[in-house]
Amino acid sequence: SECPNHQTFRTTSFKTRGNVAQCFGLGYEFNHSKISSGELEQIQTQIAKHREIEKWFQESDYYRLIDPAKRDNAAWQLVSKNKKKSVAVFVTQLTVAKKIGKHLRLKGLDENKRYHVEPLGLDLSGAFLMNAGIPIKDTPADFESIFFELNEI
């Protein structure tokens, strides 16, 4: 939907709106005459990514990793039935000053498999990802997000 939101007047980045929609119904609501060329490029990239993951995510297992009603962040994860692929999205709702570093502990992976984690470029075991988790850097703004993609190696 358009930003700023017509009800709350909050601004959420195009990146975050796309990251959230990747795991659900990807769609766009905007005034084409007001969209920038950079946002049009993001739309093309987001649609291409969605086409890659939609082949398996509709029949995947869904995990809520962080409940936004109980914390100042939200996170969820989709894991393919064969546990070879996964995506996770982490969203900061409202930024808080001087937060301690956090780790996003994933679920549903095969603890004996190794996964390549993008955008971090790390190769980690399922056991590590589910017990220690992915390190999350503090985000400088409200409603920032990180889209993690995991592939078995």
Side-chain angles (χ1 to χ4, degrees), residues 19-25 53 56-69 73-83 85-91 105-109 147:
N19 286 347
V20 170
Q22 287 294 354
C23 296
F24 305 103
I53 65 173
W56 60 267
F57 92 91
Q58 291 179 351
E59 295 182 12
S60 64
D61 293 324
Y62 172 86
Y63 299 92
R64 178 188 284 178
L65 304 175
I66 300 174
D67 183 347
N73 304 305
W76 55 91
Q77 177 186 9
L78 300 167
V79 180
S80 65
K81 291 292 185 187
N82 62 10
K83 300 183 185 288
K85 296 180 178 288
S86 178
V87 294
V89 178
F90 175 86
V91 180
R105 288 178 184 85
L106 303 182
K107 295 182 180 178
L109 302 173
F147 184 87

Side-chain angles (χ1 to χ4, degrees), residues 18 33 40-41 46 67-68 74-76 78-79 89 91-93 110 116 121 132:
S33 66
L40 284 173
E41 287 179 25
Q46 290 170 356
D67 183 347
W76 55 91
L78 300 167
V79 180
V89 178
V91 180
T92 298
Q93 293 183 81
D110 184 326
H116 182 73

Side-chain angles (χ1 to χ4, degrees), residues 113-126:
K113 290 183 178 181
R114 292 190 60 76
Y115 297 90
H116 182 73
V117 182
E118 285 298 337
L120 303 177
L122 298 174
D123 296 336
L124 302 168
S125 72

Side-chain angles (χ1 to χ4, degrees), residues 80 83 110 138 143 151 153:
S80 65
K83 300 183 185 288
D110 184 326
D138 281 336
F143 308 111
N151 288 292
I153 52 175

Side-chain angles (χ1 to χ4, degrees), residues 4-41:
N5 181 281
H6 69 282
Q7 294 176 327
T8 65
F9 302 103
R10 289 188 178 131
T11 298
T12 304
S13 73
F14 206 82
K15 174 187 149 197
T16 293
R17 291 182 283 155
N19 286 347
V20 170
Q22 287 294 354
C23 296
F24 305 103
L26 180 67
Y28 298 94
E29 173 190 327
F30 58 85
N31 182 335
H32 194 275
S33 66
K34 294 181 181 179
I35 199 152
S36 70
S37 60
E39 290 172 330
L40 284 173
E41 287 179 25

